[in-house]
Amino acid sequence: MTDMTERNRTDSPDTEKESQQTRKPTRRGGGDPATRGRTTIADGVVEKIAGLAARDVVGVHTMGSGLSRTFGAVRDRVPGGSTKSVTRGVKAEVGELQTALDLEIVVDYGVSISDVARAVRENVISAVERMTGLEVVEVNIAVSDVKLPEEEEEEPESRLQ
């Protein structure tokens, strides 16, 4: 080995120690990164989460009033129309820390409406709070209809054949 290599090896640790001692750690920002900035959640996001959570409950036949379901069915049949709306029958008011929800449901005949409403409330609150971090202050449920076993699905007839 040459003298130069020998000197570089012996000088190297000292040089590193000196540079580490003189170098100050760079600190950017302050505090927890999660507290830097603001997150806003649109009403539609909470409505989708609540709509899907409500539909998961056994005994919920569909969401929305008869009129909104009819308009939705027509809209679904129109080429280029919206796909099945998961927000039908759901209205959310979203603040910075809290949200309130209004749901309109149709229940299956024979189920306990109070049990279905309680299960819907629990499922919606759990899903919305878990996914958004918002506190759900209330979930108002309006039962607008009961689906009887012999009733046909309410779908307008298509004019096209």
Side-chain angles (χ1 to χ4, degrees), residues 7-118:
R7 204 171 338 147
N8 286 344
R9 282 191 179 161
T10 57
D11 289 348
S12 181
D14 294 336
T15 309
E16 286 179 24
K17 285 181 187 173
E18 287 174 18
S19 65
Q20 286 176 356
Q21 289 173 355
T22 58
R23 196 181 310 153
K24 292 183 181 177
T26 305
R27 190 146 185 216
R28 298 192 176 132
D32 181 21
T35 61
R36 296 185 216 163
R38 210 172 94 174
T39 303
T40 56
I41 299 171
D43 293 359
V45 172
V46 174
E47 289 170 356
K48 282 184 180 181
I49 295 167
L52 290 171
R55 283 175 175 80
D56 282 345
V57 175
V58 174
V60 174
H61 178 71
T62 191
M63 303 282 295
S65 66
L67 186 60
S68 72
R69 290 193 320 269
T70 301
F71 283 134
V74 170
R75 204 173 32 245
D76 292 345
R77 290 178 176 261
V78 174
S82 67
T83 57
K84 185 177 179 183
S85 176
V86 295
T87 61
R88 187 179 305 140
V90 183
K91 178 69 178 130
E93 293 179 37
V94 180
E96 287 187 32
L97 301 173
Q98 298 176 326
T99 186
L101 295 150
D102 295 320
L103 305 176
E104 191 171 358
I105 65 173
V106 175
V107 298
D108 291 320
Y109 177 78
V111 300
S112 167
I113 293 175
S114 60
D115 289 347
V116 170
R118 182 175 45 256

